Amino acid sequence: MKEYIVLKRGGVKFAIEISNGDSHKEVDKLRLDGFTICCESINAKSGRDAINAYHSKFDISSFEVKENVPLTTYNLLFLRANSLSRRVYLGLCFIFGTLIGLSFMGFVSSISDLSEKIQSPLGLSLISLILFSIFWLSLAMSVARWKNIGHSGIEYLFTIVFVIVMDLLYSSDIGIGILSIIFTLYVMLMPTDFVKLSRKPGKGYYEYNHIKQME
């Protein structure tokens, strides 16, 4: 039996034999490439066995692998994406908020000229469509970020319902929706750690062919 250290980046994992004298150099090189240590010490006969032992230790079998759903327009709008990182989310929130703010300022400045058009059925329908689009895009981004943190869509549903209900019940006592603020900060600031599992063998990003053993 040999002792290994396991590193990962996304779904790719490397098992480095610790007993080798140059193992620390390989570990440092991988860490510079963006890999992080997920298991500091595990005993196995080979690098492949070390990866399998790591999965067994954390109750993840070879038939259940992580599935990274890429961030595309389709996946985002249909609440499937789980790869919206913290940095991208903050950037999108800033851009999205800036556009909404500028649009609102332009709307307020010209509201007198648009008052008659807004009151028409077409104007009301257009405003309703815009408001719904803003709501759905905000929701989709929040769900994608929530999944990227490591939670499921069902957990998001129960959490957001709990937060809304509690804020409605107690916001009058403290003046603000404190739980909504905490929830927003949590979604914005928590690091990536998605753990969505796929029950379909062969899907996902665990690439067992990328096992690296020091000789």
Side-chain angles (χ1 to χ4, degrees):
M1 299 289 284
K2 300 177 182 179
E3 188 177 6
Y4 289 87
I5 182 172
V6 181
L7 300 93
K8 70 175 181 177
R9 183 182 66 187
V12 180
K13 287 184 174 59
F14 285 93
I16 307 298
E17 186 181 342
I18 298 178
S19 59
N20 190 292
D22 295 329
S23 60
H24 66 282
K25 295 181 180 179
E26 185 67 16
V27 171
D28 291 340
K29 181 180 178 181
L30 290 173
R31 295 183 72 178
L32 289 175
D33 289 337
F35 284 82
T36 57
I37 297 175
C38 56
C39 184
E40 294 185 352
S41 177
I42 193 165
N43 295 319
K45 294 181 179 179
S46 65
R48 183 179 295 275
D49 290 339
I51 297 293
N52 291 332
Y54 169 78
H55 288 297
S56 299
K57 182 177 180 180
F58 292 96
D59 296 325
I60 302 177
S61 69
S62 60
F63 296 100
E64 289 183 322
V65 294
K66 289 185 179 181
E67 180 185 4
N68 181 7
V69 182
L71 182 63
T72 63
T73 302
Y74 176 86
N75 289 336
L76 179 64
L77 295 181
F78 285 88
L79 309 181
R80 297 182 67 249
N82 65 358
S83 55
L84 182 58
S85 65
R86 176 173 53 187
R87 183 179 299 178
V88 176
Y89 178 75
L90 292 175
L92 289 176
C93 287
F94 176 77
I95 295 173
F96 193 47
T98 301
L99 292 176
I100 292 177
L102 293 176
S103 300
F104 180 76
M105 291 175 60
F107 174 78
V108 171
S109 62
S110 58
I111 190 171
S112 58
D113 299 330
L114 298 175
S115 58
E116 294 182 0
K117 296 181 180 180
I118 292 175
Q119 295 176 1
S120 66
L122 180 61
L124 292 176
S125 300
L126 182 60
I127 291 178
S128 299
L129 179 61
I130 293 174
L131 293 177
F132 177 78
S133 300
I134 294 174
F135 163 76
W136 190 259
L137 183 57
S138 302
L139 175 66
M141 290 168 53
S142 180
V143 171
R145 180 70 187 108
W146 176 265
K147 290 183 177 180
N148 182 255
I149 294 172
H151 308 296
S152 66
I154 297 298
E155 291 173 337
Y156 181 90
L157 177 62
F158 283 110
T159 302
I160 199 67
V161 169
F162 174 79
V163 168
I164 292 174
V165 170
M166 295 301 292
D167 277 345
L168 288 176
L169 291 176
Y170 298 105
S171 60
S172 58
D173 297 333
I174 57 179
I176 56 174
I178 187 66
L179 286 181
S180 296
I181 295 175
I182 294 175
F183 176 80
T184 301
L185 292 175
Y186 177 83
V187 172
M188 292 176 64
L189 302 179
M190 283 297 292
T192 298
D193 187 26
F194 74 89
V195 292
K196 182 176 181 178
L197 296 178
S198 172
R199 295 183 180 178
K200 299 179 180 179
K203 301 292 184 182
Y205 284 76
Y206 282 136
E207 301 180 11
Y208 290 96
N209 294 328
H210 287 79
I211 298 172
K212 176 70 175 178
Q213 301 183 53
M214 294 295 295
E215 297 181 356

